[in-house]
Amino acid sequence: MKKNLILAAAVAMAASQFQMIDAAHANKPGGREGKPEGVRAQEVRGAKRAAETAGRAGADAGSTRSVLADVKSARLDARLTPNEMSRLGENMKNAEVATAVKEAVAQSKNEATRELALARIEGLARLDMKNFKTGVAADALALMSADARIEQAYTSLLIDAGKIAESWTPELRENLTFLLQKTNELKASGRTTVEAMKEANQMLEKPKAEGGRAVRLNLEDISKFCKKA
């Protein structure tokens, strides 16, 4: 709350400074007298928008640092390198990723969902944001190829199913956690997301006696069933 008040004050001060500068120009030749009223008003509005944007950027940066501190406090960074933690912060510039990270921090406080939270954080830290798409853009991309659908499935599991799974049975949740953990491990070893998802799915299919879960998923269809209500 205190940070929000400070940022709001900073925005107000910045806007006031722009107005003072504009007023100062009014007393100079070629300053305010030489500009139509509409132009001056537009400049003031533009200055205010710039100040507000800077304020929001500062708030977002502060929020990201706070959430990353929560990730460390909850020991969800156990399998992440310093570079991956830095990348997680960068990825959190996307609002959906930021929300998913906050969800995972909350999930980590419940023993039943802690392993899922770890898998989500690890995956979110390794997301390739160049290929990150959600909503209509993701649906359009998925129509292009089977690999695109699998790439999108990984994102859907981390962002959407990762939250929905809180209401699943323990067995279903463990299956999701297994798939994410194995995919993350394979990605860390150099596999592409598509390669890692396919191989992890093969591991998931193995009998429990062989370390699997005796479950096989159609990776290309996952995104259809992972939409949040």
Side-chain angles (χ1 to χ4, degrees), residues 54-136:
R56 284 195 299 271
D60 290 344
S63 175
T64 296
R65 286 193 294 271
S66 176
V67 175
L68 289 178
D70 290 340
V71 168
K72 291 181 179 179
S73 178
R75 301 190 304 281
L76 295 175
D77 60 333
R79 295 194 287 254
L80 297 180
T81 66
N83 284 341
E84 287 171 338
M85 275 296 289
S86 177
R87 186 173 176 182
L88 179 63
E90 285 296 308
N91 289 351
M92 284 178 63
K93 290 178 180 178
N94 178 281
E96 290 181 270
V97 173
T99 296
V101 172
K102 293 173 187 176
E103 290 171 354
V105 170
Q107 288 173 332
S108 71
K109 298 174 183 178
N110 185 333
E111 195 60 34
T113 53
R114 179 169 176 79
E115 283 301 313
L116 174 60
L118 280 163
R120 290 183 79 189
I121 290 295
E122 186 176 358
L124 292 165
R126 294 174 184 161
L127 271 181
D128 181 356
M129 298 306 290
K130 291 183 295 184
N131 297 326
F132 183 88
K133 298 287 187 297
T134 58
V136 175

Side-chain angles (χ1 to χ4, degrees), residues 7-17 19 51:
L7 287 166
V11 169
M13 288 175 62
S16 297
Q17 287 171 347
Q19 289 172 331

Side-chain angles (χ1 to χ4, degrees), residues 166-222:
E166 290 178 3
S167 63
W168 292 356
T169 65
E171 184 176 8
L172 286 176
R173 192 163 52 240
E174 287 164 11
N175 290 342
L176 170 62
T177 302
F178 181 97
L179 182 63
L180 286 177
Q181 287 175 337
K182 297 304 179 185
T183 300
N184 292 337
E185 290 170 8
L186 291 163
K187 278 171 63 73
S189 72
R191 309 286 206 288
T192 66
T193 297
V194 173
E195 291 170 343
M197 280 284 280
K198 287 180 177 178
E199 194 168 335
N201 198 30
Q202 290 172 353
M203 295 179 183
L204 186 71
E205 184 183 19
K206 290 182 178 179
K208 292 184 179 181
E210 296 178 21
R213 302 286 302 173
V215 173
R216 183 165 181 81
L217 301 176
N218 184 345
L219 298 179
E220 295 179 32
D221 289 338
I222 284 177

Side-chain angles (χ1 to χ4, degrees), residues 20-40:
M20 289 170 62
I21 292 170
D22 193 47
H25 279 292
N27 298 320
K28 295 182 179 180
R32 179 169 288 209
E33 298 93 334
K35 296 180 181 180
E37 187 66 31
V39 173
R40 292 198 302 272

